[in-house]
Amino acid sequence: MIYAAIICEYNPFHIGHLRQIELLRRRLGKDVVITGIMSGNYVQRGELASAPKYERAAVAVRYGCELVLELPHPWSCSSAEFFARAGVRLVHALGVFDVLCFGCESLPADVSVPESAVGSLDYTPEEAAVIARFREYLERRRELDLPMLPERAGSSKLRAAEEHYRAKYGPDAFFPTSPNDILAAEYIDALDSAGSTVLPLPLPRLKGLSATASRAAWERGDIDTLERLVPAAMLELCKSRGAPVSSENFGIALPMHFRLADTEQLARCCDADGGLAERLCKAAKESTSPSQLYKRAAAKHLTAAKIRRAALNCLFGVTYDEVSAPPPYTLLLAANSRGTALLRRIKKRSQVPVVTKPADYRQLSVEAARAFGRSLRADGVYMLACGDSGNPIKMSPFILQDS
């Protein structure tokens, strides 16, 4: 039995995710047990998740994941380095996984898996070559002391880093420039740094199928396009919710926060240093919505995702110390029967607690309960932004019963 983990967001779950799970089963065998370590109600691009975490996790379990555990806030809403490191630390600490799988553009989409590799943890020549390229890049990055890469292709910082790198190692040297390759590098780096026995396994990423396109169609109410991009259960979720959740749901509350806040205190928050807190406070004086706030705070050297993350980190008071520390818990979001069996195995081996229901968090250690409480408050804000006055502590995981 092979146990595979995927660090994911499913924001929303689309056909590309379904194909990735199918490809993973072809590669590792039909009996592979797949767990999604999924972002909660806040995602890596600095946004509110398009749908609540339990609803997204339920869709994932219907389409091939056996178990979905949460990568909680604030780690889920942090830059590639912290996001990848936190996800990998959870995968490693849970103590059962053989492989961490991730999509990347560096592995050709048309690459075939030989019969001898099916169900095997041995790399194919193409997989081994990709891993070797990433590790060579990481070693050279350390030699040059390059800063962490921004996730936006074409950004000025990414171009500058690439130019510096190629000036040293030649114009044909491998350098990750796509968001998925940048994350792949961080996953491999985090696994190697932790000395983990979990193997990184790259999977080809299918072009033309993306969360960005799916959200755009959803926002437009373009059901015909959405039908081609997301599976049936996700389509029904999109229809039932009407529109995806986003920062715009905050309305005037977000710029109001920056009008009232102390700039010096905000500057201590993650991503808000280097003058960004001041930019946000200044922008808030002329803004009546999150989109106006982000637009007026924009600068050539800042990615849109960094501005959004900084705004959310300021709202919740998230510091670099918080996102630098490993997540001290995870939360069960959804499972099927094989997933619940795996959960029992995890609870015997894991170095971090798996909370089954939010109300159980008071049984955690002081450190873990404090982190859970902060995430719970952020979930309460998310629910309020959705127009839901419910209490996140009363939520329960989705369990898919055998048919």
Side-chain angles (χ1 to χ4, degrees):
M1 186 78 73
I2 295 176
Y3 297 97
I6 304 173
I7 299 171
C8 54
E9 297 199 303
Y10 297 152
N11 184 45
F13 189 97
H14 57 75
I15 296 297
H17 296 132
L18 177 58
R19 296 289 177 263
Q20 183 188 56
I21 291 171
E22 292 172 346
L23 179 60
L24 183 53
R25 289 201 186 281
R26 287 203 300 271
R27 173 63 181 84
L28 295 179
K30 64 181 181 179
D31 292 330
V32 61
V33 181
I34 301 172
T35 297
I37 306 296
M38 191 189 82
S39 297
N41 286 328
Y42 298 85
V43 294
Q44 204 253 327
R45 57 192 290 267
E47 264 290 0
L48 282 68
S50 59
K53 59 188 181 185
Y54 287 104
E55 296 179 21
R56 290 166 26 243
V59 173
V61 166
R62 292 186 186 281
Y63 288 102
C65 281
E66 272 78 26
L67 179 66
V68 181
L69 302 174
E70 183 183 20
L71 177 60
H73 180 269
W75 296 275
S76 66
C77 189
S78 55
S79 63
E81 175 192 9
F82 296 118
F83 177 91
R85 188 187 301 168
V88 165
R89 283 171 163 177
L90 276 180
V91 169
H92 177 71
L94 289 166
V96 299
F97 296 109
D98 301 299
V99 294
L100 171 63
C101 308
F102 48 85
C104 68
E105 285 84 358
S106 292
L107 195 63
D110 58 354
V111 67
S112 60
V113 178
E115 283 298 318
S116 59
V118 174
S120 169
L121 292 176
D122 294 331
Y123 288 134
T124 66
E126 293 84 0
E127 292 164 353
V130 167
I131 295 294
R133 281 202 299 273
F134 274 111
R135 285 187 168 136
E136 180 182 59
Y137 156 74
L138 289 165
E139 181 60 34
R140 289 172 168 180
R141 185 177 78 179
R142 284 187 285 271
E143 289 176 4
L144 288 180
D145 196 24
L146 282 181
M148 305 312 300
L149 301 181
E151 302 98 78
R152 186 188 70 189
S155 73
S156 58
K157 285 187 177 180
L158 185 59
R159 286 197 304 271
E162 184 178 6
E163 288 172 6
H164 183 49
Y165 186 88
R166 295 192 190 283
K168 172 72 172 178
Y169 298 111
D172 296 326
F174 169 71
F175 185 90
T177 55
S178 70
N180 286 283
D181 275 1
I182 291 170
L183 269 176
E186 298 306 331
Y187 292 144
I188 295 169
D189 190 36
L191 285 170
D192 290 350
S193 297
S196 179
T197 58
V198 178
L199 296 175
L201 181 64
L203 295 170
R205 186 172 181 272
L206 303 180
K207 297 185 182 299
L209 298 169
S210 72
T212 301
S214 302
R215 284 193 304 272
W218 189 3
E219 287 169 0
R220 295 192 307 270
D222 185 350
I223 300 302
D224 289 341
T225 299
L226 205 53
E227 282 180 335
R228 299 194 295 270
L229 295 175
V230 302
M234 189 66 228
L235 181 63
E236 289 307 309
L237 174 57
C238 293
K239 289 178 178 179
S240 67
R241 297 204 67 85
V245 183
S246 75
S247 293
E248 288 303 288
N249 290 52
F250 282 143
I252 64 170
L254 193 60
M256 187 182 297
H257 173 74
F258 286 95
R259 290 193 188 196
L260 297 173
D262 179 271
T263 305
E264 289 187 8
Q265 287 188 340
L266 294 184
R268 301 189 188 105
C269 294
C270 183
D271 287 313
D273 50 354
L276 184 47
E278 290 84 351
R279 294 186 70 87
L280 285 164
C281 288
K282 183 178 179 181
K285 295 176 181 178
E286 301 176 1
S287 303
T288 57
S289 69
S291 57
Q292 287 181 4
L293 176 71
Y294 300 150
K295 184 176 181 180
R296 290 189 166 95
K300 287 184 177 180
H301 68 286
L302 297 170
T303 65
K306 181 177 177 66
I307 294 171
R308 292 192 299 262
R309 282 195 298 263
L312 289 178
N313 288 336
C314 287
L315 180 63
F316 297 118
V318 176
T319 65
Y320 281 108
D321 286 343
E322 286 181 69
V323 296
S324 297
Y329 73 91
T330 185
L331 174 69
L332 172 64
L333 297 179
N336 61 18
S337 58
R338 295 180 81 206
T340 54
L342 174 57
L343 186 60
R344 290 191 292 271
R345 179 182 176 90
I346 287 173
K347 288 188 173 182
K348 292 178 181 177
R349 298 186 175 202
S350 181
Q351 300 171 29
V352 294
V354 180
V355 179
T356 304
K357 294 183 179 181
D360 298 336
Y361 89 95
R362 296 183 183 90
Q363 301 170 22
L364 298 172
S365 68
V366 173
E367 176 198 4
R370 186 181 297 117
F372 195 102
R374 287 195 295 267
S375 182
L376 201 62
R377 288 193 293 276
D379 282 347
V381 170
Y382 177 90
M383 291 176 70
L384 195 59
C386 295
D388 184 347
S389 60
N391 189 340
I393 203 171
K394 296 181 179 179
M395 302 299 289
S396 296
F398 171 80
I399 306 298
L400 181 65
Q401 304 297 332
D402 292 333
S403 57

